[in-house]
Amino acid sequence: MQVAIVLYPGFTSMDVIGPYEVLGRLPDTEVVFVAEKPSLVLNDLKSLSINVDATLDDVPEPDVVLIGGGPGQTGQMADGKLHEWLRAVDRTAAWTTAACTGSLILAGAGLLTGRRATTHWHALEQLAELGSKPVKERVVIDGHYATAAGVSAGIDMALTLAGKIAGDEEAQTVQLIIEYAPEPPYDAGSPSTAPTAVVERTMRKLSSRFPS
Amino acid sequence: MQVAIVLYPGFTSMDVIGPYEVLGRLPDTEVVFVAEKPSLVLNDLKSLSINVDATLDDVPEPDVVLIGGGPGQTGQMADGKLHEWLRAVDRTAAWTTAACTGSLILAGAGLLTGRRATTHWHALEQLAELGSKPVKERVVIDGHYATAAGVSAGIDMALTLAGKIAGDEEAQTVQLIIEYAPEPPYDAGSPSTAPTAVVERTMRKLSSRFPS
């Protein structure tokens, strides 16, 4: 199985590393990070750069394609090379997937039109504006499209996919290897559980990240 | 605040990216990835390489130091440059931290002697052999040392630290930004909850990773 993970400047690292750590541990699986040009791709926090050797053209038929989100997503919404590639690989991929605001890119490329999908809680309306049917769930599967809510939700999406791809026992083995038995010290991971002051504060912070 | 994250060949990416995504979002925080030599550092799955410009010497007094684990940990147990640096920065750091088998490196450097600490569930005995007091908890804090259980536990550790460093509201804001309201599709993240067949299978897989 070949998994292609798309990187672009301003990506959020956990959006892609979460699913990578899961899918990359499945048997007989090759993961290739791809970008429009071979380069060091700098993340949103501007302190992490990942070296990408493979271009989009180098990976024409991945079995799974994953795109993450992040502030850089806004730079990937114009039709062009990336959108063309996404539409092309989508025709043969077993799974076309996105975490966080990566869903907006898939939707922008026309792949989620009329489909149930999710994204970061702060971007759900934008997903609707792009023709998708936004769903407030952590992992949404519609046809061969899998989308995850914000950032850390990519881990849950990837474990769900791992089960569908390789069976429950393989998926559980990966979960045990990465000791994924989460114990967040706060219950503030969703706008429905976080204190109101925290939600308001976060919305102010994010409004510059996801301009509408 | 300056956070130094140590990379070495064969590191497990989520061990460091989980905490990075949390700590890197705290106000007025600079994160620097450091390695013994400036290089592209290749991970355990051999498909991700992170570019590291800063050497250990470039970062002599970080406020927080973090080291992750992974199969490459076994190559970092000999006394030498890395252990000397860890002992040196530990004298002035507010927090000396490790995720997964990164704790074994801290213990190997003599920093966890007699201290309560944790590590990946499969490596707890090794932590005891290195003079630490292993604890089967997800996040363990003893003095200014914070250690996390396997791989994904680094996220919980970093949120716990974020609260201590910047207050509950900042930590909760980060949790909401990364939408960390986990919903694992299986309850197999701990050897106490995973099916027996999965635990046995995983132990066989890991026995080559953590040779004792």
Side-chain angles (χ1 to χ4, degrees), chain A residues 13-14 20-21 43-44 47 49 51 120 138 150 152 156 168 170 173 175 177-179 183 186 201, chain B residues 13-14 20-21 25 43 47 49 51 120 138 150 152 156 168 170 173 175 177-179 183 186 201:
Chain A
S13 57
M14 198 194 286
Y20 167 64
E21 200 67 76
N43 77 332
D44 53 354
S47 38
S49 52
N51 185 51
H120 193 284
R138 193 148 174 91
S152 62
D156 295 324
D168 291 342
E170 285 289 356
T173 301
Q175 187 182 358
I177 288 174
I178 65 167
E179 203 164 344
E183 291 180 22
Y186 306 100
R201 206 156 177 280
Chain B
S13 57
M14 198 193 285
Y20 167 64
E21 200 68 74
R25 292 181 184 281
N43 76 333
S47 38
S49 50
N51 185 52
H120 193 285
R138 193 147 173 92
S152 61
D156 295 324
D168 291 342
E170 285 290 357
T173 301
Q175 186 181 359
I177 287 174
I178 66 167
E179 204 164 344
E183 291 181 23
Y186 306 101
R201 206 158 177 278

Side-chain angles (χ1 to χ4, degrees), chain A residues 11-188:
Chain A
F11 71 96
T12 294
S13 57
M14 198 194 286
D15 288 16
V16 288
I17 297 301
Y20 167 64
E21 200 67 76
V22 172
L23 298 175
R25 293 181 184 282
L26 292 179
D28 306 318
T29 297
E30 175 204 36
V31 179
V32 188
F33 286 88
V34 295
E36 281 203 50
K37 291 177 190 170
S39 56
L40 290 176
V41 186
L42 189 64
N43 77 332
D44 53 354
L45 302 178
K46 301 199 188 304
S47 38
L48 174 75
S49 52
I50 294 180
N51 185 51
V52 181
D53 291 325
T55 67
L56 299 173
D57 291 334
D58 289 336
V59 185
E61 292 196 349
D63 299 289
V64 178
V65 57
L66 169 78
I67 191 161
Q73 161 264 323
T74 55
Q76 306 299 323
M77 296 305 288
D79 203 3
K81 181 74 189 164
L82 174 62
H83 288 205
E84 284 163 23
W85 180 83
L86 287 168
R87 286 190 291 264
V89 296
D90 178 61
R91 282 182 214 119
T92 49
W95 292 100
T96 296
T97 77
C100 195
T101 52
S103 309
L104 300 180
I105 303 173
L106 289 188
L111 294 174
L112 297 179
T113 307
R115 297 270 181 188
R116 296 172 74 251
T118 195
T119 185
H120 193 284
W121 60 269
H122 194 255
L124 284 162
E125 279 183 30
Q126 287 181 68
L127 195 53
E129 288 161 13
L130 290 164
S132 171
K133 295 179 186 165
V135 182
K136 279 188 197 176
E137 288 173 16
R138 193 148 174 91
V139 176
V140 175
I141 292 186
D142 186 342
H144 80 139
Y145 300 95
T147 51
V151 192
S152 62
I155 304 170
D156 295 324
M157 176 182 76
L159 278 170
T160 304
L161 279 183
K164 291 181 184 291
I165 291 167
D168 291 342
E169 198 166 291
E170 285 289 356
Q172 289 171 317
T173 301
V174 173
Q175 187 182 358
L176 186 53
I177 288 174
I178 65 167
E179 203 164 344
Y180 185 51
E183 291 180 22
Y186 306 100
D187 188 15

